[in-house]
Amino acid sequence: DHRLVLSGWFYNGAYVKKATSVLNKIMESEGEQTFFECQDKTATDKTFRDVIGGSIDVGLPVMLGWNTPDYGDHSVLVIGYWEGSEKWLLINDPGDDARQISWDSLKKQKTAKFEVGLCKPETYKGHRPSKRIDSASESKSAVYHWTSKGYGPAEG
């Protein structure tokens, strides 16, 4: 069952490439047109801004997998970001629920694996939240949270 494989990925932190493959099989078996892809990327500011931020900006979360000495071999779901004097990712972490992680710290520590799993925007027909901008601060942010009603913008 593809769903069991996917839940195993979520709890065991397997590679994002495997997760996107399983998600595509689930979508196909359900008759859905949504398609996911995995990209091997370099942890650069361009990846942060264009790839991760670009997906968040259109209301789609991003799967991120890496290998670092401090964080280990790990995968998370990125649900938002902040970009100002520092860069931060808001993540859902299977080991620690929702939290923030410093992009610069992750970028400096990355050793080998760095994968980005994306939903191809043109294939997704479901609800997407609007981007939320925090104009009260210097940072540009897009903050989204999983809610009981599904994926939606943060309240407040």
Side-chain angles (χ1 to χ4, degrees):
D1 185 347
H2 301 307
R3 287 173 185 81
L4 290 175
V5 173
L6 188 62
S7 65
W9 168 82
F10 185 76
Y11 288 104
N12 297 321
Y15 288 92
V16 171
K17 189 172 195 171
K18 174 83 170 180
T20 55
S21 172
V22 172
L23 282 167
N24 286 331
K25 288 177 183 174
I26 291 171
M27 294 294 112
E28 184 179 341
S29 72
E30 296 290 326
E32 298 290 334
Q33 301 298 313
T34 303
F35 181 75
F36 296 86
E37 67 178 344
C38 179
Q39 300 176 359
D40 291 324
K41 288 289 185 183
T42 305
T44 64
D45 289 341
K46 184 171 176 51
T47 300
F48 177 91
R49 198 170 299 110
D50 296 345
V51 180
I52 298 170
S55 188
I56 297 296
D57 286 349
V58 296
L60 296 171
V62 176
M63 293 175 280
L64 192 60
W66 63 75
N67 183 280
T68 66
D70 282 356
Y71 302 123
D73 196 18
H74 200 59
S75 298
V76 298
L77 184 70
V78 180
I79 58 173
Y81 70 96
W82 289 268
E83 184 175 14
S85 57
E86 292 185 55
K87 294 173 182 64
W88 292 88
L89 297 173
L90 177 62
I91 61 173
N92 276 352
D93 186 333
D96 197 20
D97 204 18
R99 66 183 180 104
Q100 300 167 26
I101 187 169
S102 164
W103 175 256
D104 292 326
S105 173
L106 184 60
K107 186 171 68 172
K108 287 176 189 170
Q109 293 187 41
K110 182 196 78 66
T111 56
K113 179 182 83 160
F114 194 80
E115 300 173 320
V116 179
L118 302 165
C119 175
K120 294 188 70 90
E122 64 275 10
T123 68
Y124 181 74
K125 304 298 182 215
H127 169 74
R128 293 188 209 180
S130 301
K131 181 177 176 184
R132 177 179 168 218
I133 304 277
D134 181 2
S135 59
S137 73
E138 64 169 282
S139 65
K140 175 174 124 180
S141 64
V143 181
Y144 306 105
H145 294 279
W146 288 98
T147 68
S148 60
K149 296 179 184 174
Y151 187 63
E155 296 295 322

